[in-house]
């Protein structure tokens, strides 16, 4: 009974957030990342190349044109978004869970002036940073393949940041209620992989059956793919602002949830 | 900002902590004063960690009053936590970072500027005997070194109050003594400390005053010497035989027996005059035809106080595992 009352109470109450301290939490993760980034980035560099070859040059031979574009031109910008999504979600599930449940990093931090909301905010910022970084690396690979058609592509980090923040929030919520590592399998199988397959990365959502055609609109990945593809191809229209607004509103509506759920899990 | 000796640093009145239906802390009272090392002694599950977690605001108080530096931690969490150093039971260092980086990162959480943080970190490593490990990754440290680093990390903000939750649990005797040495030095320098432990030796070595806790309640309060002399006298006589020893042995011993407890097949008798009691018990045993296979006199300790108060040992069982040798 008491628990039932805490959740809505926590959501409406103001958060206990101090941005400079949230940045210290972010910095702590960044410092750890600096120890391993060479191996990680290399891995992240190789994967997109493999994807581009397999999907673009391999499969692309059998796909004539999509929306008047060679398949690889259609696919490559969307893979920037999905690659960013995966790096954020892995970080904010397996790695955050390790920090929270095994290394007790969160516990150590909240014994200082840092609040639990600061910790969650720092984690979300770090998840966002990773998504932007890995997405930008993919963008560089796409550019090396000569697939960037417009200087608008320089703006890609903006939609990447919004999308990565959205996925940081979603992942953190799951992490805060996950009983163990195995449960992340459900997160990826039920949420992340379907998004990857049906949010307009591999084919236009208009090709979906009429009954489900609207579903991608409710996913952050769909909107990020729309914006990034347009920027990379130089087909910039006003409708992109609606996609960016969708992502921004999604963040505003959900950002407090992981703060509440993490508190509910750790504070007893 | 520092506390004067004798000022009230932590005050608990009718403090209660409930987890669902389970009451972990059941209305306890205590007061910790500036400059002292205050112990919470009790077996696992006594509620010690719950008390510590409430003091640094990690765990909300269910009911009762808890003031830290005269403030309600629930209201002034950040400013109170800025003055506390916490050494938790489990190591929560950053294993991928170096020893020095661990201190610098932690200093950041207190918004201590980089120069000052560096200076203090070097001092701390020197003090904790870890100076030659500054550049080592934490993963490569031994258990005792990690503990010393955890304690050192809690000193980064020059705390007015240190909370040490089972600081030496899991360490080998040598590493434990190294930690105790450092804690004693901290105490000498005037740092107020609250220490939870289930090691009687730790409590008697370090604590000026302590409360004995069991099942969420405070059973007794005082200095280690006071508690021992009040409850069990100077010595403990342990007797063992194949069968259970009975209380008939104690008949007619009068004032000589301060208290006694049966533990499994052993009988433990607390007294001010061990030798005399031993002699008279032997005579009595011979009269009754009881064979005593094992006997030993040793100085009484806090474990005996706990045993007398609860009929249990600090390790949480009824098997007695304290000192005492056969002769």
């Amino acid at each position: 009974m008491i628990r039932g009352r805490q959740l809505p109470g926590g959501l409406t109450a103001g958060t206990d957030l101090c941005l400079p301290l949230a940045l210290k939490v972010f910095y702590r993760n960044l410092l750890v990342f600096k120890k391993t980034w060479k191996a990680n980035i290399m891995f992240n560099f190789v994967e997109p190349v493999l994807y581009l070859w397999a999907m673009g040059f391999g499969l692309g031979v059998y796909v004539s044109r999509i929306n008047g574009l060679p398949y690889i031109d259609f696919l490559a910008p969307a893979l920037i978004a999905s690659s960013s999504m995966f790096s954020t979600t892995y970080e904010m599930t397996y790695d955050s869970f390790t920090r929270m449940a095994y290394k007790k990093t969160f516990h150590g931090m909240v014994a200082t002036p840092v609040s639990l909301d600061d910790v969650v905010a720092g984690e979300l910022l770090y998840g966002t940073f990773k998504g932007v970084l890995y997405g930008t690396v993919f963008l560089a690979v796409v550019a090396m393949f000569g697939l960037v058609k417009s200087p608008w592509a320089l703006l890609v980090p903006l939609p990447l940041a919004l999308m990565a923040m959205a996925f940081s929030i979603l992942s953190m919520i799951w992490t805060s209620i996950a009983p163990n590592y195995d449960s992340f399998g459900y997160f990826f199988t039920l949420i992340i992989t379907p998004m990857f397959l049906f949010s307009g990365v591999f084919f236009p959502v208009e090709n979906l059956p009429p009954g489900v055609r609207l579903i991608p609109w409710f996913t952050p990945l769909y909107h990020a793919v729309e914006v990034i593809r347009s920027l990379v191809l130089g087909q910039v229209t006003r409708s992109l602002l609606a996609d960016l607004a969708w992502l921004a509103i999604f963040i505003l509506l959900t950002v407090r949830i992981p703060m509440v759920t993490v508190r509910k899990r750790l504070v007893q | 900002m520092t506390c004067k000796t004798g000022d009230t640093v932590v005050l608990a009145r009718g403090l209660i902590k409930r987890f669902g239906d389970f009451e972990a802390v059941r209305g306890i009272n205590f007061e910790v004063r500036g400059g002292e090392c205050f112990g919470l002694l009790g077996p696992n599950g006594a509620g010690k960690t719950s008390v510590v977690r409430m003091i640094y605001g990690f765990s909300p108080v269910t009911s009762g009053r808890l003031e830290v530096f005269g403030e309600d931690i629930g209201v002034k969490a950040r400013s109170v936590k800025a003055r506390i150093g916490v050494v938790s039971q489990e190591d929560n260092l950053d294993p991928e970072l170096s020893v020095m980086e661990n201190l610098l990162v932690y200093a950041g959480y207190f918004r201590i500027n980089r120069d000052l943080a560096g200076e203090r970190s070097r001092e701390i490593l020197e003090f904790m005997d870890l100076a030659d490990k500054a550049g080592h990754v934490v993963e490569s440290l031994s258990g005792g070194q990690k503990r010393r680093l955890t304690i050192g990390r809690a000193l980064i903000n020059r705390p007015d109050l240190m909370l040490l939750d089972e600081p030496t649990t899991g360490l080998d005797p040598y590493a434990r003594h190294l930690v105790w040495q450092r804690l004693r030095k901290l105490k000498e320098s005037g740092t107020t400390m609250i220490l939870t432990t289930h090691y009687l030796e730790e409590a008697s070595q370090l604590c000026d005053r302590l409360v004995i806790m069991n099942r969420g309640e405070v059973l007794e309060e005082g200095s280690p010497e006071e508690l021992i002399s009040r409850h069990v006298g100077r010595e403990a006589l342990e007797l063992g035989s194949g069968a259970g020893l009975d209380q008939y042995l104690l008949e007619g011993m009068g004032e000589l027996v301060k208290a006694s407890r049966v533990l499994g097949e052993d009988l433990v008798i607390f007294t001010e005059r061990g030798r005399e009691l031993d002699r008279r018990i032997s005579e009595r045993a011979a009269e009754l035809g009881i064979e005593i296979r094992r006997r030993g006199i040793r100085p009484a300790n806090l474990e005996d106080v706990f045993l007398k108060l609860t009929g249990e040992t600090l390790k949480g069982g009824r098997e007695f595992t304290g000192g005492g040798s056969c002769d």
Side-chain angles (χ1 to χ4, degrees):
Chain A
M1 197 182 85
I2 291 166
R3 280 188 184 167
R5 255 189 286 136
Q6 271 171 351
L7 187 68
L11 268 177
T12 48
T15 50
D16 179 15
L17 197 61
C18 167
L19 196 60
L21 288 178
L23 288 171
K24 299 287 183 189
V25 174
F26 168 78
Y27 172 74
R28 180 256 166 221
N29 289 344
L30 193 65
L31 200 61
V32 173
F33 175 67
K34 272 187 185 162
K35 307 258 165 186
T36 56
W37 72 274
K38 279 176 195 151
N40 281 327
I41 274 278
M42 198 56 214
F43 179 70
N44 196 250
F45 193 78
V46 171
E47 203 180 76
V49 174
L50 294 177
Y51 259 105
L52 283 175
W53 263 331
M55 295 291 182
F57 301 113
L59 184 66
V61 172
Y62 301 95
V63 181
S64 52
R65 279 180 169 255
I66 289 186
N67 296 350
L69 292 167
Y71 188 57
I72 190 146
D73 286 20
F74 177 83
L75 179 70
L79 287 179
I80 295 171
S82 64
S83 159
S84 165
M85 169 185 80
F86 277 111
S87 69
T88 294
T89 45
Y90 277 116
E91 179 63 44
M92 290 291 100
T93 51
Y94 291 99
D95 295 326
S96 280
F97 191 76
T98 303
R99 288 191 283 273
M100 179 180 71
Y102 287 92
K103 293 185 186 161
K104 307 280 178 193
T105 313
F106 292 10
H107 293 78
M109 290 170 173
V110 299
T112 72
V114 174
S115 73
L116 206 46
D117 287 350
D118 299 337
V119 174
V120 174
E123 287 280 315
L124 295 176
L125 286 174
Y126 180 64
T128 305
F129 160 79
K130 261 198 125 171
V132 172
L133 178 70
Y134 282 45
T136 308
V137 169
F138 207 127
L139 174 66
V141 175
V142 169
M144 273 166 43
F145 278 85
L147 299 170
V148 170
K149 313 290 182 195
S150 153
W152 281 102
L154 290 171
L155 291 180
V156 164
L158 174 69
L160 276 181
L162 291 172
M163 180 203 70
M165 179 54 102
F167 280 106
S168 290
I169 293 166
L170 283 177
S171 311
M172 203 66 201
I173 293 169
W174 190 281
T175 297
S176 67
I177 57 173
N180 49 43
Y181 285 108
D182 297 327
S183 60
F184 294 121
Y186 291 97
F187 182 64
F188 283 94
T189 308
L190 298 176
I191 297 174
I192 299 302
T193 305
M195 266 194 228
F196 180 48
L197 294 174
F198 301 109
S199 293
V201 174
F202 295 102
F203 56 86
V205 294
E206 291 78 23
N207 290 23
L208 287 168
V212 295
R213 201 172 291 160
L214 269 176
I215 294 177
W217 189 86
F218 293 95
T219 70
L221 183 61
Y222 167 77
H223 298 280
V225 166
E226 286 294 297
V227 178
I228 293 170
R229 185 176 279 140
S230 305
L231 292 175
V232 170
L233 297 175
Q235 301 167 342
V236 177
T237 64
R238 256 167 214 236
S239 74
L240 300 186
L241 290 175
D243 291 307
L244 291 172
W246 189 99
L247 290 167
I249 290 166
F250 181 91
I251 291 167
L252 288 175
L253 289 179
T254 55
V255 70
R256 281 178 172 182
I257 298 173
M259 295 182 185
V260 174
T261 53
V262 169
R263 181 171 298 278
K264 225 167 116 67
R265 182 192 183 109
L266 294 185
V267 175
Q268 283 164 350
Chain B
M1 286 286 275
T2 53
C3 300
K4 279 189 223 117
T5 307
D7 284 358
T8 298
V9 176
V10 178
L11 180 72
R13 288 286 174 260
L15 184 62
I16 292 175
K17 178 69 205 182
R18 236 177 261 127
F19 299 104
D21 293 332
F22 174 66
E23 204 165 60
V25 178
R26 312 166 84 167
I28 66 168
N29 302 302
F30 65 86
E31 185 178 351
V32 181
R33 294 187 279 265
E36 71 176 343
C37 176
F38 185 85
L40 301 165
L41 176 69
N44 291 329
K48 306 178 305 270
T49 298
S50 298
V51 172
V52 168
R53 287 186 165 177
M54 285 190 278
I55 295 174
Y56 74 89
F58 184 70
S59 186
V61 171
T62 306
S63 72
R65 196 160 71 139
L66 180 64
E67 284 175 11
V68 186
F69 308 119
E71 307 270 15
D72 178 351
I73 176 79
V75 180
K76 297 239 172 174
R78 285 187 204 271
S79 61
V80 171
K81 286 197 290 178
R83 299 173 66 188
I84 299 181
V86 180
V87 178
S88 64
Q89 206 167 328
E90 314 144 304
D91 280 320
N92 51 29
L93 297 164
D94 292 319
E96 305 91 342
L97 301 181
S98 75
V99 168
M100 187 54 125
E101 285 168 333
N102 261 273
L103 295 176
L104 295 177
V105 164
Y106 217 66
Y109 303 148
F110 290 94
R111 305 179 79 173
I112 298 169
N113 75 49
R114 280 199 80 86
D115 291 344
L116 186 59
E119 194 181 304
R120 281 191 189 174
S121 299
R122 280 187 293 277
E123 271 171 34
I124 286 167
L125 292 181
E126 203 63 52
F127 177 66
M128 283 293 161
D129 206 9
L130 289 166
D132 55 333
K133 300 280 176 192
H136 290 225
V137 172
V138 163
E139 266 165 348
S140 68
L141 299 185
S142 71
Q145 290 166 339
K146 282 183 191 163
R147 261 312 58 194
R148 294 202 315 269
L149 179 56
T150 306
I151 295 169
R153 191 180 67 168
L155 292 170
I156 198 80
N157 58 326
R158 299 257 162 99
D160 294 326
L161 169 66
M162 268 197 105
L163 301 174
L164 299 134
D165 193 7
E166 303 268 355
T168 64
T169 297
L171 296 188
D172 61 63
Y174 174 70
R176 179 172 302 153
H177 276 276
L178 280 182
V179 169
W180 286 350
Q181 276 177 15
R182 300 297 128 186
L183 293 179
R184 224 174 283 128
K185 279 201 175 173
L186 276 176
K187 200 178 110 175
E188 281 159 19
S189 72
T191 309
T192 310
M193 292 193 261
I194 297 179
L195 172 99
T196 81
T197 185
H198 64 272
Y199 292 122
L200 66 106
E201 210 191 334
E202 189 159 275
S204 38
Q205 287 244 359
L206 297 169
C207 297
D208 302 308
R209 243 157 30 89
L210 56 91
V211 289
I212 294 181
M213 286 187 74
N214 195 36
R215 298 186 182 149
E217 285 173 337
V218 167
L219 303 179
E220 256 297 8
E221 180 179 342
S223 73
E225 303 77 35
E226 258 168 43
L227 291 174
I228 292 167
S229 83
R230 191 184 309 158
H231 289 280
V232 293
R234 285 170 45 215
E235 290 172 311
L237 173 64
E238 283 179 39
L239 304 169
S241 81
L245 285 169
D246 54 46
Q247 301 275 340
Y248 288 124
L249 272 178
L250 302 180
E251 268 173 25
M253 298 296 158
E255 290 285 291
L256 217 45
V257 174
K258 258 196 110 144
S260 69
R261 282 285 178 275
V262 177
L263 261 181
E265 294 182 340
D266 287 1
L267 181 62
V268 188
I269 312 163
F270 304 116
T271 180
E272 298 290 353
R273 301 197 297 276
R275 290 216 166 268
E276 189 184 340
L277 180 68
D278 187 34
R279 187 174 49 75
R280 292 189 45 190
I281 291 275
S282 302
E283 289 165 11
R284 176 95 179 136
E287 267 170 45
L288 292 167
I290 297 172
E291 189 199 358
I292 297 172
R293 288 193 191 164
R294 221 156 42 75
R295 58 177 357 115
I297 305 173
R298 56 172 175 77
N301 59 38
L302 283 170
E303 176 111 33
D304 297 321
V305 177
F306 188 79
L307 173 65
K308 190 214 151 187
L309 292 171
T310 66
E312 292 170 24
T313 67
L314 279 167
K315 286 169 191 77
R318 285 177 175 270
E319 285 302 309
F320 194 63
T321 48
S325 57
C326 307
D327 61 9

